[in-house]
Amino acid sequence: MHQNLESMDGSWQVAGVTLASRMLLGTAHYPSLQVLSDAVGSSCTEIVTVGLRRLQPESGGGNHFWQKVQSLGCHVLPNTAGCHSANEAITLAHMAREIFGTPWIKLEVIGDDYTLQPDLIATLEAATQLTRDGFAVFAYTTDDLVMAQRLHGAGCAAVMPWAAPIGSGRGPMNPYALETMRRRMPDAVLVVDAGLGLPSHAAQVMEFGFDAVLLNTAVAQAGDPVRMARAFAQAVSAGRAAFESTPMPERSAAQASTPTVGMPFWHAQ
Amino acid sequence: MNPLEIHVNGEPVQTQAAHLQDLLLERGHALTSAFACAINNQFVPRVQWPQRALVQGDRVDVIAPITGG
């Protein structure tokens, strides 16, 4: 059944790979590694994100987690979460490339600790350097159109605007900005990252024409993460199918669905 | 030889290790494990660990995979 669902909407490409699933999934905050593994399976996601932190040898050094991630069979997208400067993010990206053996990097440079809003100037600086260094940069940004254009122009593999602050689950705060970004950047790979809380939020941005969504907290902290992962996958698929089907235009006035020709006599007078 | 006073993952450490790889072994890291190193915020590729000399005051970071969004 899962295979059929994903095959209904076309594949897409990012950073040189072709993917069937349009849902990227984070690996944090799950009740257990088994639930994470089951959620990945039920979502059919093909990309999972991972983080990097200081190693504590007595804790086993993260190898158990890394072995589990490797067993998932997904592409790995390491992040630079927690970095507050371009230099920090660049250094961490190089460390990630060595550990994970991938040039993919989800670039996050935080500018404000309360909202986790990215520092867009530092993000652009780091993205520019990392693309020169051979990385495929997935750049986390806000819904600012011009910054998204700059990041795309810097060679980012994907530009990933937030819908709302990370982990807030509020859904698209500025649908107009997201919709406009999609229209103004038809050739860019655009992935909505952060702030989605419900499958309907994911469907909404997919209906705008975004290439994919990236989820974590909304799945991991659901009462049933495995079932929620599936629900999001279905919403992403439905939203994409709707976009590809060209939704009807909005109208300001009602228009009867039932034909008016041949109406019965009782309205004739 | 007097021990070097450095920082490892933010903690003050005294070490007799002359090179980064010696330090990692001294602290019990299995060199085949999934981790990477930086000194003074500069990435040190794995192939350079045996030759990378430590000096007084170095700030060494050893990082590994964790869950992340």
Side-chain angles (χ1 to χ4, degrees):
Chain A
M1 187 182 92
H2 294 180
Q3 200 64 37
N4 290 341
L5 184 64
E6 266 63 49
S7 63
M8 286 174 63
D9 36 278
S11 60
W12 64 297
Q13 288 82 38
V14 65
V17 303
T18 300
L19 302 162
S21 169
R22 292 177 178 271
M23 178 172 157
L24 292 68
L25 197 58
T27 56
H29 302 312
Y30 291 83
S32 69
L33 287 180
Q34 187 58 52
V35 173
L36 162 63
S37 177
D38 293 344
V40 168
S42 70
S43 70
C44 295
T45 189
E46 295 166 282
I47 299 177
V48 293
T49 60
V50 296
L52 289 165
R53 284 293 180 272
R54 285 171 166 170
L55 174 59
Q56 304 300 330
E58 62 277 12
S59 69
N63 278 307
H64 182 54
F65 165 69
W66 175 224
Q67 287 163 5
K68 172 61 81 175
V69 170
Q70 287 176 299
S71 74
L72 299 174
C74 295
H75 298 280
V76 174
L77 178 58
N79 68 35
T80 63
C83 290
H84 284 73
S85 71
N87 283 341
E88 285 178 10
I90 291 166
T91 298
L92 199 59
H94 281 271
M95 298 170 90
R97 182 160 65 179
E98 182 174 84
I99 291 176
F100 300 110
T102 175
W104 290 15
I105 194 73
K106 181 190 171 192
L107 177 62
E108 292 182 44
V109 185
I110 298 303
D112 179 72
D113 284 328
Y114 182 75
T115 61
L116 298 181
Q117 183 166 334
D119 180 332
L120 300 181
I121 296 167
T123 298
L124 181 59
E125 180 186 346
T128 302
Q129 182 60 50
L130 288 170
T131 53
R132 284 183 191 142
D133 292 345
F135 285 86
V137 177
F138 296 58
Y140 168 61
T141 184
T142 66
D143 52 24
D144 185 281
L145 171 63
V146 175
M147 181 53 65
Q149 290 172 324
R150 296 290 181 272
L151 289 166
H152 180 56
C156 289
V159 177
M160 305 205 297
W162 69 359
I166 294 171
S168 68
R170 297 172 66 91
M173 295 188 305
N174 192 344
Y176 170 79
L178 292 175
E179 205 169 3
T180 301
M181 185 185 294
R182 177 69 287 178
R183 277 203 308 272
R184 295 289 297 145
M185 300 175 66
D187 300 325
V189 174
L190 296 177
V191 177
V192 171
D193 174 15
L196 301 179
L198 292 168
S200 56
H201 299 156
Q204 182 183 10
V205 297
M206 292 304 295
E207 287 166 6
F208 293 160
F210 278 83
D211 294 280
V213 299
L214 196 161
L215 299 154
N216 192 161
T217 310
V219 171
Q221 297 199 338
D224 185 341
V226 179
R227 200 167 177 200
M228 186 60 85
R230 188 69 200 143
F232 266 104
Q234 291 168 326
V236 167
S237 184
R240 181 64 190 183
F243 171 72
E244 292 180 354
S245 302
T246 311
M248 63 163 280
E250 279 189 15
R251 297 191 181 100
S252 57
Q255 180 175 323
S257 301
T258 304
T260 52
V261 175
M263 281 176 60
F265 60 89
W266 57 78
H267 281 312
Q269 299 175 24
Chain B
M1 187 177 87
N2 290 330
L4 289 176
E5 294 184 0
I6 63 174
H7 281 77
V8 179
N9 285 348
E11 300 294 328
V13 166
Q14 289 191 340
T15 180
Q16 296 286 352
H19 298 91
L20 175 58
Q21 183 154 303
D22 302 331
L23 174 74
L24 296 171
L25 292 170
E26 180 183 278
R27 295 181 61 78
H29 295 295
L31 296 184
T32 54
S33 296
F35 66 90
C37 296
I39 298 179
N40 303 329
N41 297 332
Q42 296 296 313
F43 170 57
V44 182
R46 184 171 282 254
V47 295
Q48 296 178 12
W49 291 355
Q51 294 84 35
R52 178 59 166 86
L54 296 173
V55 298
Q56 190 80 7
D58 269 347
R59 290 173 287 111
V60 179
D61 277 294
V62 184
I63 64 148
I66 61 159
T67 62

